[in-house]
Amino acid sequence: MSSNKRKVRCYAEKIGKQWQAFCIDLNLAVQADTLPDVRAKLEAMINSYLKLAMEQTDPQYQRDMLFRPAPLAIQLRYWYVRAAVAFDNIGRPRHHGGRHDHRGKFELMSFRQPALC
């Protein structure tokens, strides 16, 4: 795989008892009961979606599929999650049980686009 392959940015968030994962670069979303399941589902969806996009014969339609960012609210949530994870990782005091304890609630993910892209 070439090192210049684009990565797609994603995050997962635990809401209630379920995990929801979003790909902000392709506007895709999945949900599952566990973090490993939601990660696997999102990766499979991204691969399927990109394969379908690359099979398109109309160049404009293909471009539209490949450059389809998520709505602004989802993108802003990604940046919030990214900041929350970063603060937790630098040893910032955590408020256990409070609304600022992000451990186990968020996960940042990125996936390399398959070689077909």
Side-chain angles (χ1 to χ4, degrees):
M1 186 179 309
S2 170
S3 63
N4 65 353
K5 290 291 178 197
R6 188 178 124 190
K7 286 185 178 182
V8 290
R9 297 168 296 163
C10 308
Y11 74 95
E13 180 173 7
K14 189 170 187 180
I15 300 174
K17 293 184 179 186
Q18 283 218 320
W19 282 90
Q20 297 178 358
F22 304 88
C23 175
I24 67 166
D25 294 318
L26 298 172
N27 195 22
L28 300 173
V30 297
Q31 64 184 30
D33 291 333
T34 67
L35 181 58
D37 287 347
V38 83
R39 176 184 267 285
K41 284 174 95 172
L42 186 60
E43 185 173 23
M45 179 179 274
I46 289 168
N47 289 336
S48 295
Y49 182 83
L50 291 173
K51 183 176 185 252
L52 178 65
M54 296 311 295
E55 292 171 353
Q56 301 307 309
T57 57
D58 178 3
Q60 182 60 46
Y61 187 61
Q62 186 181 60
R63 266 191 304 279
D64 290 345
M65 287 184 75
L66 292 173
F67 301 100
R68 192 177 84 138
L72 182 59
I74 299 294
Q75 292 183 46
L76 291 174
R77 188 67 178 169
Y78 167 83
W79 289 105
Y80 170 80
V81 168
R82 188 173 169 140
V85 168
F87 281 124
D88 281 348
N89 286 339
I90 62 172
R92 181 174 173 254
R94 295 176 181 89
H95 305 282
H96 297 287
R99 56 181 242 202
H100 299 294
D101 184 9
H102 303 302
R103 293 171 299 152
K105 295 180 185 173
F106 300 128
E107 178 82 12
L108 287 173
M109 301 179 278
S110 64
F111 299 101
R112 287 202 182 275
Q113 291 183 353
L116 53 93
C117 293

